[in-house]
């Protein structure tokens, strides 16, 4: 009998305080499956890691890989874990920082597209990033990850 362990991802949720209030930085998932979607297509910048790697280090590494810029310095506020619908366990830290979305240079992945065509194409991991108010973020973020918005709000209160 083969025992499958859940995949794990770690990420950083950047937040900032503006004249309009709290904002969070989310990334829109790249590739043809997400192109025309908005609701449920935005995520905390994150990525998978091996259990032997500390999650905090993985979150910082994945931030650089996903966005092509260095992760911000600053204290990471642990926001805990969630389990997404696909069974993946996601661990996130919030970091107060500002980032110009125009500066990102996203990492890429390769997949067969169209399916069963034998053609492989390269797509950005995240095709864009943007700042959102918590209310707007809740409308577009992957459902399970909305818990991170709640936890950040508790921390920022």
């Amino acid at each position: 009998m083969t025992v499958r362990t859940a995949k794990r991802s770690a990420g950083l949720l950047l937040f900032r305080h503006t004249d309009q209030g709290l904002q969070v930085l989310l990334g829109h998932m790249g590739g043809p499956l997400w192109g025309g979607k908005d609701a449920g297509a935005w995520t905390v910048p994150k990525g998978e890691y091996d259990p032997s790697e500390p999650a905090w280090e993985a979150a910082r590494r994945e931030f650089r890989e996903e966005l092509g810029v260095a992760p911000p310095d600053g204290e990471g506020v642990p926001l805990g874990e969630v389990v997404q619908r696909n069974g993946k366990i996601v661990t996130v830290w919030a970091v107060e920082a500002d980032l110009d979305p125009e500066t990102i240079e996203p990492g890429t992945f390769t997949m067969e597209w169209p399916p069963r065509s034998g053609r492989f194409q390269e797509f950005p991991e995240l095709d864009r990033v943007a700042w959102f108010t918590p209310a707007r973020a809740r409308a577009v973020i992957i459902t399970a990850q909305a818990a991170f918005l709640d936890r950040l709000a508790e921390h920022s209160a």
Side-chain angles (χ1 to χ4, degrees), residues 19-59:
D19 293 342
Q20 291 79 39
L22 182 68
Q23 292 184 332
V24 295
L25 185 78
L26 299 178
H28 185 270
M29 291 183 280
L33 302 176
W34 302 102
K37 296 182 178 156
D38 197 41
W42 291 81
T43 182
V44 172
K46 62 172 182 42
E48 291 182 11
Y49 68 99
D50 184 275
S52 65
E53 181 181 16
W56 169 249
E57 290 177 20

Side-chain angles (χ1 to χ4, degrees), residues 121-157:
Q121 297 184 49
E122 196 169 274
F123 299 98
E125 295 272 356
L126 299 173
D127 57 21
R128 63 191 181 275
V129 297
W131 289 100
F132 293 91
T133 63
R136 178 70 184 129
R138 184 173 302 287
V140 298
I141 199 168
I142 293 171
T143 304
Q145 291 182 21
F148 297 131
L149 303 174
D150 297 336
R151 296 169 192 168
L152 177 60
E154 290 170 15
H155 168 76
S156 298

Side-chain angles (χ1 to χ4, degrees), residues 97-114:
D98 203 353
L99 175 82
D100 179 355
E102 299 298 316
T103 64
I104 71 153
E105 295 180 23
T108 60
F109 68 96
T110 303
M111 70 181 279
E112 184 179 16
W113 192 260

Side-chain angles (χ1 to χ4, degrees), residues 11-23:
L12 300 179
L13 177 62
L14 266 56
F15 69 97
R16 66 183 184 184
H17 296 278
T18 70
D19 293 342
Q20 291 79 39
L22 182 68
Q23 292 184 332

